Amino acid sequence: MYDVIVVGAGIGGIYAVHRFAQQGLSVAGVEGAPGVGGVWYHNRYPGARVDLEGIYYSYFDPELYRRWTWKERYPSQPELLAYLNFAADTWDVKRHFRFNTWVTGATFDPATDRYVVTTDTGLTLECRFLVMATGPLSAARQPDFPGLDEYRGETLLTAHWPDHPVDVAGKRVGVIGTSATGVQVIPVLAPQASHLYVFQRTANYSVPAHNGPMDPQRHEEHVARIDELTHQCLHHPGGTDLPLADGPAASFSPAERTALLERRWAYGGHAMGTVFTDQGTDVATNELVAEFVRQKIRTVVARPDVADKLIPTAYPIGTRRLCVDTNYYQTFNRDNVTLVDIREDPIECFTATGVRTRAAHYDLDLVVFATGFKPFTGSLFKANIRAADGTGLSDLWARGPVTYLGLQVRGLPNLFIVNGPGSPSVLANFFPTTMQQSAFIGDLIAHMAAHNHTRVEPTEQAQREWTAHVAEMAAPMLRYKTPNYMVHVNDDGSRAFIPYPGGFDRHARKCAEVEANGYEGFAFS
Ligand code: NAP
């Protein structure tokens, strides 16, 4: 019997195990992969790299900062995986994990206030607290195109890329999906393939990363002011110290606006998402930023007809995750790359030799699916977590996720989620969010031990009020009004925003307040 079982050995699971072990709890980790890394273990497709700068995308631990220097401004998957192994080894957490083990079920026993956790290896474990650190974007969406079974070529999912080199040389390759993953894999496959066909359903906004080697001086400066940097990131809505907007667009002259937009474009990446304070809420300001990016795309793409297809018009900029790329639009100037607009000419089916659209057939040796994940709930539902009466998370969340602080769900006592729905999740940097949430959970468990409590779940009122607060924060946002994976849509058309859109800093402050007020909103017994 363990005090805590942590499911997942990604960014969240590594730190959670470390934090709980450090405070003297008995901890077991369970992970399906053979090693640590989570999404950075599985997403090893060519070009995979993080779209936040490595100096922020790190555990806020002075010792780790001093001992690790990122090679690139935006680290690649191999470097990220090496870093997560380095952190896990430094903290000696691997010994707590059962690798190659998938959780198949977890049922709460109210007689003992424990979870009985079953796995696909036959191993059964028991714990007082179950902590899900399975990540919001880890369960890949399986492609289900008609005729896929007939296709005799090779297929690969970016989210489960093999760990051996894939030979693309001389092959006719198709990529389906042009979002955050697609924009990374496409420019890397194009120079290797004999021909690359990009099947685009929705054109997305992508901003250049301006990646390059990490400046050693910048690293030294960072290490020297690590305490200050940590403080800044912990008080930033995104958990980074990326520049924030100075004001609404209307407060700047046209020349000032252009200068601001150019400066952010030159900085690169997500800095483009916060040029003006009102770009996420005001249609006209949003259009100003969107049009600036569209013009940039036009200057890069040589053929106007291809540029027309690549230019996003279907949604306001930033309402779906902004993509960050290296040479994405430039790739479409290559002679061996064809953009297939499947909005205009939809895929009808796969055939034995390739993909048939309404108007054409594409012969393909390899098809790469960059088609995304079952967001937020995919991995949580897969773990089949249930109360004693059989009620599962999917029943409790039939009309979209409801939580208290994103950390707990009424009806499933002693279950905690790290980076779950209702927390900043995909809207903030996972490293500080993970650390703050793990510390909160660890302290709450210590509080329970000190007061002889064995069971905790949110009150009905606290959960209702937090869910209403998430909805209230989301209501003015264009992101809430636009179809995207952050919005749960019910059959009757009602909508619920899934992650907490109020910012990491605000979420962390609320957690601190709750703790200071004796864990208000949690019912102990
Ligand atoms: P995604 O954003 O869900 O995009 C999936 C893509 O596949 C979209 O272009 C989508 O088109 C297309 N697609 C899905 N089903 C399709 C179908 N049946 N037919 C044709 N096209 C289809 O997935 P993702 O690109 O993997 O990104 C998911 C998230 O992962 C990102 O938001 C980000 O949070 C994270 N991510 C981060 C990084 C990073 O840090 N660098 C890199 C990659 C991913 P539609 O848009 O038309 O649906």
Side-chain angles (χ1 to χ4, degrees), residues 40 43 45 48-52 57 137 141 144-145 158 176-184 199-204 270 320-321 324 342-343 347 370-373 426 485-486:
W40 294 117
N43 282 259
Y45 58 86
R49 64 178 68 250
V50 64
D51 58 6
L52 272 183
Y57 200 66
L137 296 162
R141 195 183 284 138
D144 59 353
F145 292 90
T158 49
I176 302 181
T178 55
S179 188
T181 300
V183 303
Q184 291 188 331
F199 295 88
Q200 172 192 272
R201 190 164 66 180
T202 308
N204 288 303
H270 287 294
R320 289 172 169 207
R321 189 175 170 105
V324 180
I342 55 171
R343 184 79 64 187
I347 293 178
T371 40
F373 299 88
V426 296
Y485 74 78
M486 296 180 212

